[in-house]
Amino acid sequence: MFIILKRISIIIIITIFLLEIFGVILSSLRIIPNGSPAVMSIFAHKKWSLWHPKNISFKHHYNTCWGPTKITFNNIGARGLRDVQIKKSKPRIALLGDSMIEMIHVKDGDDIGSLLQKKLPNYEVINFSSRGTGISDHLDIYKNLIKNYNIDYLIYYPSDNDLVNNFILSNEPDKIFNQPAFYFDEETNQVIKINRNEKKMKKYFSNLNKIKRTKFVLYLKEYSYTFKIYYHIKTIIRNNKVQKIVFDEKKYADKKKQLPKQKKVYKHIMNKFIDEIEKDKINLITILNYKEYVFTEKNDLSLKWKIRFDRFNFQKDLWQNYNNAYYNLNEAKDYIKLNNNNIIKPFVNLGHVCDDHYSKYGSEFITNISLKRINAYFEKEQNN
């Protein structure tokens, strides 16, 4: 029996060794990613939907699309190279949004938090953004995390998918895990909240499942080419399934029908978000994100992008009516034209050819816009 186990162990070790060598070759040829999948740096959280591990860096590379990018999460799990203490020594500026502002698609130093910090040395800039989140999640992050750090300014970056991240069509609690959802009840004419699924959360945070999220396991995946091969195959299979799904006129019509309910839910949560900010007398600056569809004529948009464009326009009107949220498409086009010689594949406009999250050029642009809005806010305060 011992001899058999010994032989099996040797075979497994040799197999993994060969896979590791094979993986190094594949990644050097860019056949598989030369970094870990982004899913490794995002977890469910007990008090808000999604957050990052603390005091750790990753080299992320998704499906050979963007990257590889080295990204760091600090002592509180926020994207950034600097640790954050409860007691502040400078006025604080908090950044809040989803994956567009978390920016794992650009390396440390090129992200908005790093660039703004360099341009505003007399302030402390903290990026509290997290991918996969919507406005209800942002409210939870604000109440349970940001408020602990006594911020002076909050720059908020809404995205069109905020209308769907916390939306569910009807009362279906079994579909909920870590992210609360809201639906519009036509009978009562009210927006109803479905809280996190406590049973699923308890299982997720069990001692056994916590092992999967330890630094040892994360680093094992980070440096294992066997894992990279496995996950790349998994990604190809998933993408092939997605590509076979046709977004036709019927699906477009179904999505279009959901939009009025999504608007009511979003407006309901937005009002709660604003109430909380105003109650705390926080200086709120709002800047709308620029995604690929805004650079395309509406008649040329695909059905999927038309839905997103409709959500964006609704969101833009709401925030501009509230606090004159900043959005200037011509300014973005001028920046792209100015950098036209550099914005070539894999980049396009402010994002990537295969992914419209901000590239390093998009990061630079939205940083410049943020700086301009902050300075305008400072001047307004001084004049008052």
Side-chain angles (χ1 to χ4, degrees):
M1 184 68 179
F2 175 77
I3 295 173
I4 294 173
L5 288 174
K6 185 179 178 181
R7 286 177 179 174
I8 291 171
S9 300
I10 292 170
I11 290 169
I12 291 171
I13 291 168
I14 292 172
T15 302
I16 292 172
F17 178 74
L18 292 174
L19 281 171
E20 288 295 308
I21 294 174
F22 186 52
V24 171
I25 296 169
L26 292 178
S27 66
S28 65
L29 296 173
R30 297 295 287 268
I31 295 171
I32 67 168
N34 187 20
S36 55
V39 70
M40 279 174 50
S41 62
I42 195 78
F43 303 130
H45 193 275
K46 289 181 179 179
K47 291 186 178 179
W48 56 91
S49 297
L50 295 159
W51 199 235
H52 321 102
K54 300 175 183 179
N55 297 314
I56 194 168
S57 294
F58 297 93
K59 184 171 77 169
H60 279 335
H61 195 190
Y62 178 72
N63 199 25
T64 67
C65 169
W66 48 263
T69 56
K70 183 185 177 184
I71 63 166
T72 300
F73 299 104
N74 62 22
N75 65 315
I76 65 168
R79 173 83 197 267
L81 292 166
R82 298 185 180 189
D83 283 350
V84 181
Q85 308 305 322
I86 291 291
K87 187 177 179 181
K88 66 180 180 182
S89 57
K90 301 176 182 179
R92 280 177 167 162
I93 300 171
L95 312 180
L96 181 59
D98 60 8
S99 54
M100 295 294 288
I101 303 302
E102 180 194 22
M103 290 192 182
I104 63 166
H105 307 77
V106 295
K107 64 180 172 58
D108 287 341
D110 288 340
D111 60 290
I112 185 173
S114 298
L115 294 178
L116 267 180
Q117 187 63 76
K118 288 176 187 175
K119 295 174 186 290
L120 294 166
N122 295 325
Y123 293 81
E124 184 179 12
V125 179
I126 311 171
N127 190 351
F128 291 97
S129 304
S130 181
R131 74 200 90 140
T133 52
I135 188 169
S136 175
D137 308 309
H138 301 151
L139 176 55
D140 283 343
I141 290 171
Y142 174 76
K143 290 195 296 186
N144 293 288
L145 181 64
I146 296 177
K147 284 178 75 165
N148 298 333
Y149 291 91
N150 190 20
I151 65 164
D152 300 280
Y153 302 90
L154 175 64
I155 310 180
Y156 186 51
Y157 302 84
S159 292
D160 66 275
N161 47 311
D162 292 342
L163 268 76
V164 297
N165 282 331
N166 298 118
F167 173 81
I168 195 167
L169 200 53
S170 58
N171 188 9
E172 300 174 273
D174 288 342
K175 289 186 177 181
I176 306 298
F177 167 40
N178 61 310
Q179 196 165 33
F182 297 75
Y183 68 94
F184 181 72
D185 189 330
E186 291 179 312
E187 289 186 8
T188 61
N189 199 35
Q190 289 183 320
V191 173
I192 310 295
K193 181 180 182 180
I194 307 176
N195 288 314
R196 294 177 179 87
N197 189 310
E198 293 299 327
K199 186 178 179 181
K200 292 180 182 177
M201 291 288 284
K202 187 177 180 180
K203 183 179 178 182
Y204 181 85
F205 287 103
S206 68
N207 291 331
L208 182 62
N209 279 321
K210 280 182 181 178
I211 293 172
K212 301 175 185 177
R213 302 185 290 277
T214 59
K215 281 191 177 181
F216 172 76
V217 174
L218 291 177
Y219 279 130
L220 198 62
K221 292 178 178 179
E222 171 78 0
Y223 295 106
S224 169
Y225 284 92
T226 302
F227 177 75
K228 291 178 179 66
I229 293 170
Y230 154 75
Y231 202 87
H232 189 59
I233 292 169
K234 185 177 176 180
T235 301
I236 291 171
I237 293 169
R238 184 175 64 246
N239 288 348
N240 285 339
K241 288 180 181 178
V242 171
Q243 288 170 7
K244 289 177 182 177
I245 299 172
V246 179
F247 196 87
D248 55 15
E249 292 284 351
K250 184 181 181 305
K251 285 187 179 177
Y252 174 73
D254 290 341
K255 293 287 184 185
K256 194 84 171 174
K257 284 179 185 177
Q258 294 177 20
L259 194 54
K261 292 181 180 180
Q262 290 171 349
K263 289 178 178 180
K264 289 174 181 176
V265 165
Y266 185 84
K267 195 170 183 181
H268 170 83
I269 306 170
M270 178 184 168
N271 288 335
K272 288 185 176 295
F273 182 88
I274 289 169
D275 287 346
E276 193 72 25
I277 299 297
E278 290 182 347
K279 181 185 74 176
D280 294 337
K281 297 180 180 178
I282 298 297
N283 300 299
L284 177 67
I285 300 168
T286 309
I287 300 171
L288 293 152
N289 279 313
Y290 298 72
K291 295 195 177 180
E292 185 60 25
Y293 54 77
V294 302
F295 300 104
T296 309
E297 293 297 326
K298 190 165 184 181
N299 291 335
D300 297 328
L301 289 172
S302 67
L303 292 175
K304 272 188 178 181
W305 276 12
K306 280 182 180 177
I307 286 288
R308 293 179 67 185
F309 196 75
D310 287 342
R311 291 178 189 142
F312 169 78
N313 281 329
F314 164 75
Q315 190 181 52
K316 176 164 70 75
D317 291 342
L318 273 184
W319 282 104
Q320 288 187 336
N321 287 335
Y322 170 66
N323 70 343
N324 196 27
Y326 192 80
Y327 174 75
N328 188 325
L329 184 59
N330 288 331
E331 189 171 14
K333 288 180 177 178
D334 288 343
Y335 172 85
I336 291 164
K337 191 180 293 183
L338 188 66
N339 292 276
N340 192 49
N341 291 333
N342 296 322
I343 302 177
I344 55 175
K345 282 187 176 182
F347 308 117
V348 64
N349 293 323
L350 299 179
H352 304 82
V353 172
C354 57
D355 186 317
D356 66 353
H357 285 90
Y358 290 130
S359 65
K360 60 182 180 180
Y361 301 103
S363 176
E364 181 183 67
F365 171 76
I366 204 71
T367 298
N368 292 339
I369 293 299
S370 302
L371 184 65
K372 185 163 73 172
R373 299 310 295 166
I374 293 167
N375 287 332
Y377 205 96
F378 293 164
E379 287 176 17
K380 186 179 176 181
E381 282 187 324
Q382 289 172 356
N383 293 332
N384 290 339

